[in-house]
Every structure is written in structure tokens, then in C-alpha cells.
Amino acid sequence: MTARTPRYSGVIPPVVTPLTADGELDRASLERVVGHLLDGGVSGLFALGSSGETAYLTPGQQDQVIEVITAAAAGQVPVLVGAIETTTNRAIERANRAAELGADAVVVTAPFYTRTHDIEIDRHFRDVAAAVDLPLLAYDVPVCVHSKLDPELLLPLAADGVLAGVKDSSGDDGSFRRLVIGARELPGFSVLTGHELVVDSMMLGGADGSVPGLGNVDPHGYVRLHEAAVRGDWAAATAEQDRLVGLFDIIRAARPGTASATAAGLGAFKTALTLRGIIATNVMSPPMRRLDVAETATIAECLDRAGLSRA
Amino acid sequence: MTARTPRYSGVIPPVVTPLTADGELDRASLERVVGHLLDGGVSGLFALGSSGETAYLTPGQQDQVIEVITAAAAGQVPVLVGAIETTTNRAIERANRAAELGADAVVVTAPFYTRTHDIEIDRHFRDVAAAVDLPLLAYDVPVCVHSKLDPELLLPLAADGVLAGVKDSSGDDGSFRRLVIGARELPGFSVLTGHELVVDSMMLGGADGSVPGLGNVDPHGYVRLHEAAVRGDWAAATAEQDRLVGLFDIIRAARPGTASATAAGLGAFKTALTLRGIIATNVMSPPMRRLDVAETATIAECLDRAGLSRA
Amino acid sequence: MTARTPRYSGVIPPVVTPLTADGELDRASLERVVGHLLDGGVSGLFALGSSGETAYLTPGQQDQVIEVITAAAAGQVPVLVGAIETTTNRAIERANRAAELGADAVVVTAPFYTRTHDIEIDRHFRDVAAAVDLPLLAYDVPVCVHSKLDPELLLPLAADGVLAGVKDSSGDDGSFRRLVIGARELPGFSVLTGHELVVDSMMLGGADGSVPGLGNVDPHGYVRLHEAAVRGDWAAATAEQDRLVGLFDIIRAARPGTASATAAGLGAFKTALTLRGIIATNVMSPPMRRLDVAETATIAECLDRAGLSRA
Amino acid sequence: MTARTPRYSGVIPPVVTPLTADGELDRASLERVVGHLLDGGVSGLFALGSSGETAYLTPGQQDQVIEVITAAAAGQVPVLVGAIETTTNRAIERANRAAELGADAVVVTAPFYTRTHDIEIDRHFRDVAAAVDLPLLAYDVPVCVHSKLDPELLLPLAADGVLAGVKDSSGDDGSFRRLVIGARELPGFSVLTGHELVVDSMMLGGADGSVPGLGNVDPHGYVRLHEAAVRGDWAAATAEQDRLVGLFDIIRAARPGTASATAAGLGAFKTALTLRGIIATNVMSPPMRRLDVAETATIAECLDRAGLSRA
């Protein structure tokens, strides 16, 4: 087996997007989030991912997010930027804007809203790569786009230099394993997992790194987990992962039946960051509500149990 | 039962978006489509719907489409404009742009890409309505957005003046029937069906009108169907509908396994319009391919069987 | 168009299966249900359909149901019997048992639990038809079996004499319309709809009859609806249908979050029949619960509003 | 953490059901399969699972399978028997029959075909456990039954002594991890994974064992994998797993578009066992077809690449 030299590896959290009370980007809080993540030892930042409320931000707000994150990162780690748009031309437009604003790479899903087909998904990635002068990563997220990127689709795109990597949030382990095995002949291609609850397992299976939403809350923990896995200390990796699984209970703080899974999950990340003193408010983009005082108290307990400091 | 006085009724086709060979908006062809539809007797135009490749057009291209259609319609019929965006702020931005460009109403779906919840969908429509100074119609299209708008959600929004109508493409007949019955106390609220193959049945059940993609190809047929239904000539309505069901076979012209249902369907509409001499090319937005010569020949046969003139 | 001579037409309710307090078949109540339905003027009985809790009954209980229904029907109307089993050999075994017990026809779904394919579904129906000496109807119920029977699959089976008819509970109106149109060349083939809320619309579109679960509660209403449709009195048909849609609100009596849709719906049918004095209890098969006193009171109100007598 | 003492652990393959040319149970071949598995060192046998074509076998055929497997196992390892039926009473009937025929435990899914609800699933398992005098395992297989068994449902059932274990084929890693962590307080409860492509990862995450369909073809490999994981030799475990992932390519031998995933997968297992000289034919239950000569040749190549002997 050739030694892997993936362009992107380690922990690359999908950065949350803090908002002010009136729903505008909270630049100071976002800068603090970046500082918090860099302090945790992350090896990259993923701006405008699902955890960054990308689907909730206007193009203008997205531009602001890219500006703040690239400025705050200041070249210490690469900034991957999501160009999460329904189809090719729209993704190209956003990807090129990201390039202008200093992104190091762009991340694109399969077409959504519209029905699609593997032939069209293939052309989609090829067209985006041809039109954008940055490395391109595919984002496999069937829960959002309702189609799956199979290894049979991804590996030829990787071999042809169209894709520099993939973020897999598909939950299809068998597919992921076959992707990892296929990628052994593509040592520079990055295989990243978005499954924050089983990063240890995915690393054992051959992932190059992770993109954990929960990594916003505890980047140090995910970095310890990654490093333990890299050095083969699986007992340490699983212990760290188990602790983080416990921390993930914050997403169950929202009262049942009162919010979407997205609002409950991202709301919990923001609330935890507020409790940790990193961001100013847990305001969510409309139409999502913010978590309330009782829900916040539940999250505080989870932080305490996980051994995380609070402000 | 109160007599219905819906703001929007009759046949309101979702206007296709013709493209030039290099993928730009073909303004002259789009003007001819509008003329063709007005000649057919339609009572409104729906710009930037799914059939208009709205998910494939950049904001700039969408602006052009609105400009051309509103100019060509010249106030003869209302122009409803889709603001099909993932979430609230994005939909508001596009809806307000449509208002600036002369739209008479805007059409908005539930949030998509992200996971959502009825409470959030309710707030979504309320926030959009509050921010946009145009009538708002809800677009119920689970095949695209993966959630369903139930009568229990829609009717209170209608009663509160948030929604002026709904375009139902859900395929849930029971839900549609309960919506129609509930709307009897809301005589101005428009209940439109997007199910082009059963407009007669939906009219019998109480629909105020239809939004048939196939109406681009044969607006005269759909207007005859609507008028027959309105005057209670159900034999004529079903005969016309049956002929249109036969015409709809054009969507099966694409070779199996070579294109998405969207590419096959919208591609067939465009190809038929090319054959009928209305638009210049059947070019599709990337990553969709255009139908080829053999597929076009199949569509020509369908047009002939349905008794439609060709150029 | 050839005049239709379908073997099965009119209203063919899927007969509920009354149980005693200890969960055994309540033969006397079932006999009364059959009498009630025959009194209502139904033209057939569908035993062991989804509404008959077929999936909840052991083979022995199913045998008892067939015995009671065929005896009570006494040849006045045909008795169609569901052989709802996961795959071919199991369906054949149950279908042959139904034949022994006096069934007039058998009703079979696509394979379920297992994943399947159109080629296998085709063989499935052919194998069943070859092994069973009774007319065979296909039951298209994707909500239960998670695959759809397309006209392209069904019509050749009908043309080859494999299928005598179809009960369509797919909710796919376009598919149903194409099936009806295709069946015009097969005048004896029965196209029945299971969509009890839009029987008028389906009849307008060309259905030969209906299989309404709600027809257990109000067979007279469905028969009036059918007869109005047959004579082309669509105003009367839709008025009757609208009343029945109101009656269908009984399925919303179960407190939200406390029962499956099946338990809420079938439980409501049974509770209504109890209130009407037809059956002795509203006991459900495990693991479903029976509706309680408060829920029963809600159903009583629905019956009153729909003008149905109570015992 | 308490040391785990799960009743069932190690490799427990879901035993395939060999058929004769005329579709009857091939007892001699099934005995050889059991011998082959015992020779491989498996620690249990799962009869009448999905891989055993359980959904394709009549009750009579299922009885024969249980008889042959329990006789051939002769008490060397426990025999778990699937009672895969749509609902409670049917599952109880089959489970009690399995008990009579010598099963050591029974395996039951959530209700299927019908729609269900967590409250009903909970009662389902409780009713089955109360009626059957054998340990009960839950089988979490959403791809077949279309509902998911969450840890919040399973763990109380385990704590109450209703469930002795679970076979997880859900593909939901996060759920599985939370189940494993919750099961730490239930040392005797068995958490088994059905994900044959990532057994190493699932073992790292805390699984007690695996139920790999592919284990029919290469039980020795899965046992080596299990043993490596148990002793913490993760490099050996992943190497073994990677080899087995390669072997799993046999399921892609069926020509695309000609068979269901079930027919392709189980057909490949049977074909491989034929090539290995264990069973006499690769005949499948109707309506599935058997793989042909060309497809068999592809499978032979996979066996060679994986280093497996052929007859």
C-alpha cells in the first residue's frame, strides 16, 4: 500500500455561523470561534457547511462569513468553503466568489431540489471543477440532497483529478469502506468522514480525517481522538469518542416536537458555545428558533458531564 | 357553499426557460413562449417554477427571466414568480427582487436541503409574507423538498391572510380534497393543482385551476379542458384530459437510464416546443443533456398523434 | 372505445375483522358486518385486505375469516380474498387455501420485506396465477410493500390473462390514469381504486369501482356515490364524496403520538361500527391498542355530523 | 466498566437455505453448510434470517430448515431462529414452533407491511417475549421493515429482560454506538452487528459479535477477524476485513438491471458456496432467478482473488 499523502486530513470542523440578536453575522463571535478551533489544533476549517447554516444564509451573508473566516485563519490552516447550491451554474457562481474571497478549496454536493441521475452528477462535478480554479471536494450528504455518491462515481472523478477529496456524511459504511480501499491508489485524495459519533471507527477503516459538527464545541477532544487514531492507540481513541458521544446528547435538549433536527442540533452547538463563552448568542437563522433557558440548562449539564469548561 | 372568488384560477402554466446554444437565456424564444401561452388563453403565467428550470438558474439569469416574462405578458395576465430557495431569508431576497421586476405574486416552497418541521414551515411562510409586498402562494412539492404541506398547516395560514393560494404538486389526493373543502370558507384563496394528468379529476374535486408543465406544449388543450370542467361538461373534460395524457408520453422519449426524470421531462417539453416552432433549441441547463435526434423523432410522433401542429 | 365488462366493479369494501375481548375472531360480529355491507348494496367483498388486519392474523385466524365471510355472503356477491404474503410460494399457499375455503378471487401484492425488482414482480404474479385456480387481482400498495406497480408492468400481465384486475392504493394518479387508458383494450379487466377520499375523481378518470375501507362504516354512502358516478350525475357524486371525506375525520380521533396510522384508522372504523351497533367491540390485534372512551366520543360526533345512525 | 458477559457473541452467520433444482429444501447441502460454518469456528448459527431466504419460505419449509440446522448443530453452538412475520401473533406462532423444533433463541423484527409506532413496537416485543419460552433478540433492519429501533426503545426492553440482544443491520452508526454505550450497564445483553463490511469498525465501537451474510462463504475469515479484534490486533482485523470487502464484490456479479439486490446478493452467496463445493445448486426461491454461467465465472474470479479454495 502506498503511503497516503492526502491534501486535507485531521480535524476540519464545519464552522458554525454566530448571529447577532437581530440575525446578522456576529463577526466578533465568528472570529472567536475560529480562534477556539485553531487553539484546539484543528488542521482545517470548513466554512459554509450544513453546520454553518449555509442553507440559511443569503449570498451576501455567505460572503461575509468567508471574509471573516479566511481573515481569522490567516493562512494557518486551509479554509474549505461550501458552495452548496441546487445545480451546476449556481454552484460555480458561489465557488468562484469563494475563490475571490480567499478560499483554499470548495465543497459541492450533488444537485438537489431537482431530481438527478449519476450521469448528471458526474457532469456536475466535472463542470464545476473546470470552471473553478480551486481544489474541489464532493460532499456526500443524502439526508440533505436525497441522492448518494457511490464509490463507482467518486473514484473515477478522483482519478481524473476532478475531485481532491470527499466529505462523507452518508452513513453508508460499506460504501465508505469501498471508497477508502479504492482511494489507496490515489494517495493525495482526501477521504473525510462527517460522522462525528464514530470517527474512531471510520479512522480504523481508513479515513484521513473528520469534519465533526460537534468539533465546534470540543475541538480539543476531536484532535486528541484523531491523534490517538493516527498513532494506533485505539483504546485512547475509543475512550475519547465515547466521551464525545456523551457530549452529543446536547442535541436532545430541545423539547420533542418543537423543532427540526437541524434546529435542535445546530441550536445545541451554538448554545454550548455560548455557555463556553465563545459566542455571544445562540440566535438561529429563521425560521429556526433559538433554544430557551430550560433547554440551555440541559446543555450546561452535558458540558459539565463531558468535562468541558464553561464561561 | 359561498361562491368562490379565487384571485388566481384557470390555467397558469409554469413557463419553460429557453436557452441559447451556449446556455444563456434565449429572450426571443421566451417571448414567443409567452405569446404562445397567451394565444392559448391561459389566465396567468408561473415564471421560475420547477418546469422553468428555476433550480438551474443563477440569480442573474432568474432576473432576466422575470424581466422578459413580465414585459411580454404586459399586464394581460398576472405573472406569478417562484422564489424557490432553501430557507426564509434567501426566499425573501429573491421574492423582493421579483417584486422589483414586476411580479404580481410570489411562490415559495417549504425549506429544503435542511431538515425542517411544521412549526418552522409555518414561521417560514409568515416571515416571507411579512417581508414581501406581494401575494404569496405556497408550493407543495414533496418530491423536491421532501416535506408535505398538510391542510392543517395551510388553512390557518390562508385564514390569517398569509397565503393567497397554493400550488399542489403533492400527489396526495386525500390531502388535496381536504384542502379544497377547508378552503370553502376562504372564497378568495386559490387552490391550484400541478397534476397535469388528472386536471379533470382535480377540478371535479374542487380545484380552482391548474399549473400544468405540459401546458407549455399545448396550452389550448388545457384551456379547453378547464373551460369544459367549469361548465360541467365532464365528458368533454375527460376526453381532452385523455388526449393530453397521451401527449405526455413525450417524457418517455429519453432513453432509459441516460437522464434524470427532470431532464427527460423538461427536455421533452423543450423539444416539443422546438418542433412546434416556438423556441429555437432544446438546450438544457447543465448538468442536464439535451435530447438527441432519435429522441426528438419520438416526440414528433407523439405530437402528431395528439393532433398538434408542427413547424 | 369498447364498452367495459369488468368482472369486478362497484363498491367492494375491504371487510374489517371484528375481534372478541380476548382477541379471537368475533364470528357473529363479522356476520353482521357482511349483512350490513350487503344491505348497503355492495357488489363484492374483499376479505383479508389491509383494513381486515390481514397482516395481524395468523393463518388459522385467516381461515376462519374466509369461512365466515364466504358463508355469510352466500354467493350473493363475489368474495375476493387477500393472500398478502412476503413472496411467491407463501402467497400461493395462502391463495390455494382461500380457494379451498370458497373464495371467488385472490388478491396479491408485490413481494415485500425483501427487496425486489420489476422482473421478479412480473414472475411473482405469473407464478401465482399459474398455481392458483382462481382469478388473480394485483394489489398496488406502495405504502405497505414499498414498490409501485406501473402500468407498463400491469397491462402486459392483464393482456396475458395473468391478472383479472388491480386494486390501486398507490396514490399515483398519473399512473392510475395511464392504467385506465391502457385497460380500454382489456374490457374485462377490473380497475379498482382504494382511495376512499376521491372515488368520484377516480370514477371520472375511468375506474370501474372502489375498495374503500371507510365503506365498512357507510356502505350505503359509497354505493350512492358509485351509482351517481355511473349515471354521470357528478354533482351528486361529489356531494356524497364530500360528506364521506367529513366522515373520514374519524381517523383523527386517536390522540396524536399514541398510535400508528394503522391503529388510528382501523381502530376508528371498528369504533364507528361499534357505535353503529354492528360489531361488539373495537378490540384491535396486538400490538395495536383499541381506542378509548374519549376517542370514541369524538368518533360519535363525526358519525352524527355525517348523518349516520347510531345504535 | 463492567466486563461484558453477552449470551451471544462471536461470529453467528445467517445461514443460507440451499434448494434443490425443483425448489425444495436441499437437506444434504444445508447440513454441509452447517458443517462448513462449524469448521470455520463460528459461535452460533442464525437460521431463517434474511440471508436464509426466510421471507421466501413457507411455514412448512421453515420447519424443515430448523430441523436440519438444529440437528446438524447438535448443540455445539446455539441456533438462533428468525420468526420474521408481519405482526405479533404471527411472530409468536412461528417463534413457538421454532422452540418446539429445538431453537435456542428467536429473532424478531418490528412489525412490517403495516404502519407501526414505537409504542406498538415496544408492546410487540413484550408480547412476544411473554408468549415464548426462549431468549428473544430484536432484529433492527429498516431496509426491510421500514422502521428503526432506537436505543431509547431497545435499552429499556433489555433492562426489563424482554430482549437478550439485538442484531443491528440498520446502518445507523451513531445509533449503534449509543446502543453499545447504553448496554454497558447490561453486561449479558448481546449487541451484534449485521454490517459485514465494517465488522472491525463495529467491534472497535463495542459490538459483541457479528452476523455476516458473507460469513457463509468465508466463515474462517470472519472468525479470524473477530479474534483479532478481541485481542486488540486492529491491524490484523482491518486487513482481514479489507480482504472480505474485496470478496463481497461477488454481489456485483449479477448483470445490472436484471435482478433485485436480494437476488444478486443471496444468489452470489449461493453461487460461491456451489463453487466451493459446499452446496449442490445456486437455485433461488421464486420469484428470484439463479445466477447464470457468466455471472458464476465472475464470482469464481472473486473467490480466487480472495484466496478461497474452490471445489
Side-chain angles (χ1 to χ4, degrees):
Chain A
M1 194 188 318
T2 313
R4 290 194 65 67
T5 55
R7 189 192 292 255
Y8 308 106
S9 61
V11 179
I12 306 175
V15 187
V16 301
T17 302
L19 301 176
T20 63
D22 57 356
E24 295 304 311
L25 177 63
D26 180 345
R27 290 167 179 270
S29 287
L30 181 51
E31 287 166 1
R32 283 194 299 273
V33 172
V34 172
H36 167 63
L37 298 174
L38 293 174
D39 179 72
V42 304
S43 48
L45 298 168
F46 176 26
L48 300 177
S50 301
S51 293
E53 291 175 64
T54 188
Y56 292 85
L57 304 177
T58 61
Q61 290 174 313
Q62 293 188 354
D63 287 354
Q64 293 173 38
V65 169
I66 304 170
E67 287 165 357
V68 173
I69 293 180
T70 53
Q76 299 174 69
V77 298
V79 177
L80 290 60
V81 175
I84 309 299
E85 292 285 341
T86 45
T87 56
T88 311
N89 286 344
R90 291 170 65 103
I92 289 171
E93 184 164 294
R94 290 303 311 160
N96 277 325
R97 186 72 184 122
E100 291 166 17
L101 294 168
D104 294 294
V106 291
V107 182
V108 168
T109 68
F112 57 93
Y113 181 85
T114 188
R115 285 173 283 183
T116 191
H117 185 283
D118 272 1
I119 291 173
E120 293 166 8
I121 297 174
D122 180 84
R123 181 179 166 197
H124 175 65
F125 285 118
R126 291 181 190 276
D127 282 7
V128 173
V132 180
D133 194 23
L134 281 181
L136 172 64
L137 291 93
Y139 184 9
D140 189 16
V141 61
V143 72
C144 293
V145 304
H146 303 277
S147 61
K148 169 82 183 81
L149 304 178
D150 287 321
E152 287 69 27
L153 178 83
L154 292 170
L155 289 169
L157 290 169
D160 292 351
V162 172
L163 294 179
V166 62
K167 177 196 170 188
D168 181 285
S169 295
S170 73
D172 184 334
D173 288 345
S175 167
F176 186 75
R177 187 62 164 259
R178 294 196 296 117
L179 179 66
V180 164
I181 292 174
R184 286 191 187 142
E185 298 169 21
L186 304 159
F189 182 74
S190 297
V191 183
L192 308 172
T193 179
H195 284 281
E196 57 218 315
L197 299 191
V198 289
V199 171
D200 54 351
S201 293
M202 296 302 104
M203 294 292 294
L204 180 73
D208 297 309
S210 60
V211 186
L214 187 64
N216 283 281
V217 179
D218 190 2
H220 303 76
Y222 275 100
V223 170
R224 284 193 300 268
L225 163 48
H226 182 82
E227 291 176 349
V230 166
R231 72 176 179 263
D233 183 350
W234 296 106
T238 57
E240 192 68 50
Q241 180 70 76
D242 285 349
R243 189 186 59 81
L244 291 163
V245 170
L247 175 60
F248 198 67
D249 277 343
I250 59 175
I251 73 159
R252 269 175 284 279
R255 280 184 302 286
T258 68
S260 64
T262 300
L266 302 190
F269 294 166
K270 282 189 164 180
T271 302
L273 285 168
T274 307
L275 287 164
R276 300 205 71 190
I278 313 291
I279 71 175
T281 81
N282 65 351
V283 170
M284 302 294 289
S285 298
M288 297 186 287
R289 72 172 176 88
R290 63 196 296 184
L291 299 189
D292 64 20
V293 171
E295 293 163 335
T296 299
T298 302
I299 289 172
E301 292 167 15
C302 291
L303 295 181
D304 291 348
R305 274 200 301 274
L308 293 191
S309 63
R310 290 203 273 131
Chain B
M1 192 190 317
T2 314
R4 290 193 64 68
T5 55
R7 189 190 291 255
Y8 308 106
S9 62
V11 178
I12 305 176
V15 187
V16 301
T17 301
L19 301 176
T20 63
D22 57 357
E24 296 303 311
L25 177 64
D26 179 345
R27 290 167 178 268
S29 286
L30 180 52
E31 288 167 1
R32 283 195 299 272
V33 171
V34 171
H36 167 63
L37 297 175
L38 293 174
D39 179 71
V42 303
S43 49
L45 298 168
F46 177 25
L48 299 177
S50 302
S51 293
E53 290 174 65
T54 189
Y56 293 87
L57 304 177
T58 63
Q61 290 174 312
Q62 292 188 355
D63 287 354
Q64 294 174 37
V65 167
I66 303 170
E67 287 166 355
V68 173
I69 292 180
T70 53
Q76 300 175 68
V77 297
V79 177
L80 291 60
V81 175
I84 310 299
E85 291 284 343
T86 45
T87 57
T88 311
N89 286 343
R90 290 170 65 103
I92 288 171
E93 183 164 293
R94 289 305 309 161
N96 278 325
R97 186 72 184 125
E100 291 166 15
L101 294 168
D104 294 294
V106 292
V107 183
V108 168
T109 67
F112 56 93
Y113 181 84
T114 188
R115 284 174 285 185
T116 189
H117 185 283
D118 272 2
I119 291 173
E120 293 166 9
I121 298 174
D122 180 85
R123 181 179 168 197
H124 175 65
F125 285 119
R126 291 181 190 276
D127 281 6
V128 173
V132 179
D133 193 23
L134 280 182
L136 172 64
L137 291 93
Y139 184 9
D140 189 15
V141 61
V143 71
C144 293
V145 305
H146 303 277
S147 61
K148 170 82 184 81
L149 304 178
D150 288 321
E152 288 69 28
L153 178 83
L154 291 170
L155 289 168
L157 290 170
D160 291 352
V162 172
L163 293 179
V166 63
K167 178 198 170 186
D168 181 286
S169 295
S170 72
D172 184 334
D173 287 346
S175 168
F176 187 75
R177 188 62 164 260
R178 294 195 298 117
L179 179 66
V180 164
I181 292 174
R184 286 191 188 142
E185 298 169 21
L186 304 159
F189 183 73
S190 297
V191 183
L192 308 173
T193 178
H195 283 281
E196 58 218 318
L197 299 191
V198 289
V199 171
D200 53 351
S201 293
M202 296 301 104
M203 294 293 293
L204 181 73
D208 297 309
S210 60
V211 187
L214 187 64
N216 283 282
V217 180
D218 190 2
H220 302 78
Y222 275 99
V223 170
R224 283 193 301 268
L225 164 48
H226 182 81
E227 292 176 347
V230 167
R231 71 176 181 265
D233 184 352
W234 295 106
T238 57
E240 192 69 49
Q241 180 69 78
D242 285 349
R243 189 185 59 80
L244 290 163
V245 171
L247 176 60
F248 198 67
D249 278 343
I250 59 175
I251 73 160
R252 270 175 283 280
R255 280 183 304 284
T258 68
S260 64
T262 300
L266 303 189
F269 294 167
K270 282 190 163 178
T271 302
L273 284 168
T274 307
L275 287 165
R276 299 205 71 190
I278 313 292
I279 70 175
T281 79
N282 65 351
V283 169
M284 302 294 290
S285 298
M288 297 186 288
R289 70 171 177 88
R290 64 196 297 184
L291 300 189
D292 65 20
V293 172
E295 294 163 334
T296 299
T298 302
I299 289 172
E301 292 167 15
C302 291
L303 295 181
D304 292 348
R305 274 200 301 274
L308 294 190
S309 63
R310 291 201 273 131
Chain C
M1 194 189 315
T2 314
R4 290 194 63 69
T5 55
R7 189 191 291 254
Y8 308 106
S9 61
V11 178
I12 306 174
V15 186
V16 301
T17 302
L19 301 176
T20 63
D22 58 356
E24 294 305 310
L25 178 63
D26 179 344
R27 291 167 177 268
S29 287
L30 180 52
E31 288 166 2
R32 284 196 299 273
V33 171
V34 171
H36 168 63
L37 297 175
L38 293 174
D39 179 72
V42 304
S43 48
L45 298 167
F46 176 26
L48 299 178
S50 303
S51 293
E53 291 174 63
T54 189
Y56 292 85
L57 304 176
T58 63
Q61 290 174 310
Q62 292 188 355
D63 287 354
Q64 294 174 37
V65 168
I66 303 171
E67 287 165 356
V68 173
I69 292 180
T70 53
Q76 301 174 68
V77 298
V79 177
L80 290 60
V81 175
I84 310 298
E85 290 284 343
T86 45
T87 57
T88 310
N89 286 344
R90 290 169 66 102
I92 288 171
E93 184 163 293
R94 290 303 310 160
N96 278 325
R97 186 73 183 124
E100 291 166 15
L101 294 168
D104 295 293
V106 291
V107 183
V108 168
T109 67
F112 57 92
Y113 180 84
T114 188
R115 283 174 284 183
T116 189
H117 185 283
D118 272 2
I119 291 173
E120 292 166 10
I121 298 174
D122 180 85
R123 181 180 167 196
H124 175 65
F125 285 118
R126 291 181 190 276
D127 282 6
V128 173
V132 180
D133 193 22
L134 281 181
L136 172 64
L137 291 92
Y139 184 8
D140 189 16
V141 62
V143 71
C144 292
V145 304
H146 303 279
S147 62
K148 170 81 184 82
L149 303 178
D150 288 321
E152 288 69 27
L153 179 83
L154 292 170
L155 289 169
L157 289 169
D160 292 352
V162 172
L163 293 179
V166 63
K167 178 196 170 187
D168 180 286
S169 295
S170 73
D172 184 334
D173 288 345
S175 168
F176 187 74
R177 188 62 163 259
R178 293 195 298 116
L179 179 65
V180 165
I181 292 174
R184 286 192 187 140
E185 298 169 22
L186 304 160
F189 182 74
S190 297
V191 183
L192 308 172
T193 179
H195 283 280
E196 57 217 318
L197 298 191
V198 290
V199 172
D200 54 351
S201 293
M202 297 300 104
M203 293 292 292
L204 180 73
D208 297 310
S210 58
V211 187
L214 187 64
N216 283 281
V217 179
D218 190 2
H220 302 78
Y222 276 99
V223 170
R224 283 192 302 268
L225 163 49
H226 182 82
E227 292 175 348
V230 166
R231 69 176 182 267
D233 184 351
W234 296 105
T238 57
E240 193 67 48
Q241 180 69 77
D242 284 349
R243 189 185 60 80
L244 291 162
V245 171
L247 176 61
F248 198 67
D249 278 343
I250 59 175
I251 72 159
R252 269 175 284 280
R255 280 183 303 286
T258 68
S260 65
T262 299
L266 302 190
F269 294 166
K270 283 189 162 178
T271 302
L273 284 167
T274 307
L275 288 165
R276 300 205 70 190
I278 313 292
I279 70 176
T281 79
N282 65 351
V283 169
M284 303 293 290
S285 298
M288 297 186 287
R289 70 171 177 88
R290 64 195 296 184
L291 300 189
D292 65 20
V293 172
E295 293 162 334
T296 298
T298 302
I299 289 172
E301 293 168 13
C302 291
L303 294 180
D304 292 347
R305 274 199 303 274
L308 293 190
S309 63
R310 291 202 271 131
Chain D
M1 191 187 320
T2 314
R4 290 194 65 66
T5 55
R7 189 191 291 255
Y8 308 107
S9 61
V11 178
I12 305 174
V15 187
V16 302
T17 302
L19 301 176
T20 63
D22 58 357
E24 295 305 311
L25 177 64
D26 179 346
R27 291 167 178 270
S29 286
L30 180 51
E31 288 167 1
R32 283 195 299 272
V33 172
V34 171
H36 167 63
L37 297 175
L38 293 174
D39 179 72
V42 303
S43 49
L45 297 168
F46 176 24
L48 299 177
S50 303
S51 294
E53 291 174 64
T54 188
Y56 293 85
L57 304 177
T58 62
Q61 289 175 312
Q62 292 187 356
D63 287 355
Q64 293 174 38
V65 168
I66 303 170
E67 288 165 355
V68 173
I69 292 180
T70 52
Q76 300 175 68
V77 297
V79 177
L80 291 60
V81 175
I84 309 299
E85 290 285 342
T86 46
T87 57
T88 310
N89 286 343
R90 291 170 63 102
I92 289 171
E93 185 164 293
R94 289 304 310 160
N96 278 326
R97 187 73 184 122
E100 291 166 16
L101 294 168
D104 295 292
V106 291
V107 183
V108 168
T109 67
F112 56 93
Y113 181 84
T114 188
R115 284 172 286 182
T116 191
H117 186 282
D118 272 2
I119 291 173
E120 294 166 8
I121 298 174
D122 180 84
R123 181 179 166 196
H124 175 65
F125 285 118
R126 290 181 191 275
D127 282 7
V128 173
V132 179
D133 193 24
L134 280 182
L136 172 64
L137 291 92
Y139 184 8
D140 189 15
V141 62
V143 72
C144 292
V145 305
H146 304 277
S147 61
K148 170 82 184 82
L149 304 178
D150 288 321
E152 287 70 27
L153 179 83
L154 292 171
L155 289 169
L157 290 169
D160 291 352
V162 172
L163 294 180
V166 63
K167 178 197 170 187
D168 181 285
S169 295
S170 72
D172 184 335
D173 288 345
S175 168
F176 187 76
R177 187 63 164 259
R178 293 195 298 117
L179 179 66
V180 165
I181 292 174
R184 286 189 188 145
E185 297 169 22
L186 303 159
F189 182 72
S190 297
V191 183
L192 308 172
T193 179
H195 284 282
E196 58 218 316
L197 300 191
V198 290
V199 171
D200 53 352
S201 293
M202 297 301 105
M203 294 294 292
L204 180 73
D208 297 310
S210 60
V211 187
L214 186 65
N216 283 281
V217 180
D218 190 4
H220 302 77
Y222 276 99
V223 170
R224 284 192 301 267
L225 163 48
H226 181 82
E227 293 175 349
V230 167
R231 72 176 180 264
D233 183 350
W234 296 106
T238 57
E240 192 67 49
Q241 180 69 78
D242 285 348
R243 188 185 60 81
L244 290 162
V245 171
L247 176 61
F248 198 67
D249 277 342
I250 60 175
I251 73 159
R252 270 175 282 280
R255 280 182 303 286
T258 68
S260 64
T262 301
L266 302 190
F269 294 166
K270 282 189 163 179
T271 302
L273 284 168
T274 309
L275 287 165
R276 300 205 71 189
I278 313 292
I279 71 175
T281 79
N282 65 350
V283 170
M284 302 294 289
S285 298
M288 297 186 287
R289 71 171 176 88
R290 64 196 295 184
L291 299 189
D292 65 19
V293 172
E295 293 163 335
T296 299
T298 301
I299 289 172
E301 292 167 14
C302 291
L303 294 181
D304 292 348
R305 273 200 302 274
L308 293 190
S309 63
R310 291 202 273 130

